[in-house]
Structure formats: C-alpha cells, structure tokens
Amino acid sequence: MSGRARGVTIAIVVALGACMLAAFTDRRAFFAAWLVSWLFLFGISLAAMALLYLHVLTGGEWGQVLRPSLHAIARALPVTALLALPLVFGLGDLFPWDGHQLVGGLQH
C-alpha cells in the first residue's frame, strides 16, 4: 500500500470513528448533519451528470475540457447513493411525524 493510500485509509477510519461517536452522543444531530452532507454530495453528482447530458444533447466543443472531470464526478453517483443507507436508520429522528407512535392513536 502506498503512502497516499495509507493516509486516505487512516483518514476514513478516523472519520468513521468520529461519526460513530457523534451518532451515540446526539443521534438526532448526527442524522441531520448526515442528511445535509449527503444532499450536498448527491447534488454535485447529479449536477455533473446533468451537465454531461446537456453536452451530449447540444454537442459542440464547449464541454470537451470539462468532460473528464464531469465523468469522474458522475461515476461517484452509486457511492453517494450507498451513503444514503444510514439515513434509513434515522428516519424517526429526522422526521418525528413519520413515527408509529403518533399514528397509533388514530388507528381503529
């Protein structure tokens, strides 16, 4: 493993540890921060894909310089979609009106 890959691996492990600590400390704040961060990253990937589609649709030379960067960013879309999975566990914290305890009194 090269020095750069080792540094990235260490940074990922430290970030995951900080996320786990934050999740146990203040669950609601953790999921709110995760949602905002995920929306930001997902939006960047979707915008890159939209620009790629726009370039393909219109043609021309205007997008040739950006094309490699946009492809790389758009290829991160599946990874950003996977980053939405932790939000499934925090739906009750993010959206309290979606909880079963609020609907339980309305059932017959």
Side-chain angles (χ1 to χ4, degrees), residues 29-83:
F30 167 75
F31 282 116
W34 191 276
L35 177 63
V36 170
S37 301
W38 177 77
L39 285 172
F40 178 74
L41 293 174
F42 197 64
I44 290 174
S45 295
L46 285 179
M49 187 178 297
L51 284 173
L52 280 171
Y53 287 160
L54 184 65
H55 179 255
V56 168
L57 181 68
T58 59
E61 298 292 321
W62 64 268
Q64 293 301 327
V65 175
L66 293 175
R67 195 174 185 103
S69 298
L70 292 176
H71 269 290
I73 296 169
R75 271 190 240 123
L77 193 61
V79 175
T80 57
L82 284 176
L83 289 175

Side-chain angles (χ1 to χ4, degrees), residues 71 82 93 96 98 100 105-106:
H71 269 290
L82 284 176
D93 295 318
D98 190 34
H100 297 289
L106 300 176

Side-chain angles (χ1 to χ4, degrees), residues 23 26-29 31-32 87 89-96:
D26 189 356
R27 189 175 159 91
R28 189 173 191 170
F31 282 116
L87 293 173
F89 300 108
L91 287 178
D93 295 318
L94 288 171
F95 309 108

